[in-house]
Amino acid sequence: MPDRRPLDGTEERDGSWPPVLGALAVFTSPGRLQDTGLAAAASDLLAAERSRTTIEHLTRRNPGLTLDDAYRIQWTNVQQRLAHGARIAGHKVGLTSLAMQQQIGVDQPDSGFLLDDMLLTSGSSLPLAQLVMPRVEAEIAFRLGADLRGPDIDVRTARAAVSKVLLALEVIDTRYGDWRMTLQDSVADNAAAARAVLGPETPLRPDLDLASEEICVHVDDEIVVSAPGSAVLDDPLKSLVWLVRQLDRYGAGLRRGDLVLSGAVHASLPLRPGSVIEARSPHLPPVSVRAV
């Protein structure tokens, strides 16, 4: 079981645990990172992202890499980016649909951080030269209107904490040179989070059935895929529940104002220069991005 510490900043510290970062409690142990070589793995991933190059899958270098180790690598690199001026905007949940799990080769969800420098507004241009192997996926996203934490969160509680809902296009990327990887590889690489294009936010009405919301993805005005919200763990709100329970394992939670991407409803699509990708659904405003 991972270490758990309170979020209020009053916990006793032994010098190895950093303070709360932004809206989240993010814990890493520098000593453990050094002892197990995880610090080198974190540095290699961060360098690959900055130089837009690829590295060998971490689990091929270290077959004993655990999921907790992978999250420590992820959080170490998030701290590096925060130290250089980025701010935490929220989270993404990944690998929530069967289509995405089959595409990557895993059997359960994962999560990563969203930072403010990853976010784009609908209609923006996305420079592909900034990325390595970018792909795009459409999903439902949430804006929290209240704090949300704890191991016993259910769908009703999660829905009550959501103030706004929106369509988003998540741009995923990998530093491994291909899209076949273990769950540990994905987690360490911040769950492949690269960019998030956000559509207009709208209140989550009591009568809006997100599981039945059909999302159509258009590439250059042609429909290429369509899938309901239920493709995400049967209900996108269950993705939010999964995230809160996952964060609770590490003593963390969500705060009012956090953005959460619930996961793709379809297998990811390649991005090509000049293409315009748009996601539409019956009850949510559309979202689009142009790849350049």
Side-chain angles (χ1 to χ4, degrees), residues 169-218:
L169 292 170
E170 184 186 0
V171 178
I172 59 174
D173 201 12
T174 177
R175 262 57 66 176
Y176 297 124
D178 64 54
W179 284 102
R180 299 297 295 182
M181 63 190 73
T182 69
L183 187 64
Q184 291 93 322
D185 289 320
S186 175
V187 166
D189 198 19
N190 197 29
R195 302 289 187 273
V197 186
L198 308 180
E201 300 181 7
T202 188
L204 179 54
R205 305 190 315 271
D207 62 337
L208 182 56
D209 181 1
L210 295 176
S212 299
E213 189 76 359
E214 189 78 13
I215 301 174
C216 293
V217 181
H218 300 246

Side-chain angles (χ1 to χ4, degrees), residues 63-76:
L65 191 75
T66 69
L67 196 55
D68 283 347
D69 289 339
Y71 276 110
R72 288 176 182 271
I73 291 171
Q74 178 192 120
W75 295 341
T76 297

Side-chain angles (χ1 to χ4, degrees), residues 3 25 41 43 48 56 72 75 100 116 145 180 193 201-202 243 283 288:
D3 296 285
S43 295
E56 185 180 17
R72 288 176 182 271
W75 295 341
M100 278 304 300
D116 60 347
R180 299 297 295 182
E201 300 181 7
T202 188
L243 175 63
H283 303 103
S288 67

Side-chain angles (χ1 to χ4, degrees), residues 264-278:
V265 299
H266 61 92
S268 64
L269 303 169
L271 277 169
R272 298 183 177 88
S275 290
V276 175
I277 299 89
E278 183 179 35

Side-chain angles (χ1 to χ4, degrees), residues 18 21 26-28 74-84:
L21 297 172
V26 180
F27 299 128
T28 61
Q74 178 192 120
W75 295 341
T76 297
N77 284 340
V78 168
Q79 289 185 73
Q80 287 290 324
R81 295 183 63 171
L82 295 179
H84 286 83

Side-chain angles (χ1 to χ4, degrees), residues 203-256:
L204 179 54
R205 305 190 315 271
D207 62 337
L208 182 56
D209 181 1
L210 295 176
S212 299
E213 189 76 359
E214 189 78 13
I215 301 174
C216 293
V217 181
H218 300 246
V219 177
D220 299 328
D221 292 326
E222 293 187 9
I223 296 178
V224 296
V225 66
S226 179
S230 60
V232 177
L233 302 179
D234 296 325
D235 184 336
L237 285 164
K238 290 184 178 180
S239 177
L240 184 57
V241 170
W242 179 90
L243 175 63
V244 174
R245 292 177 178 176
Q246 166 71 5
L247 290 174
D248 184 75
R249 296 178 65 241
Y250 299 96
L254 299 175
R255 297 285 177 91
R256 180 178 181 272

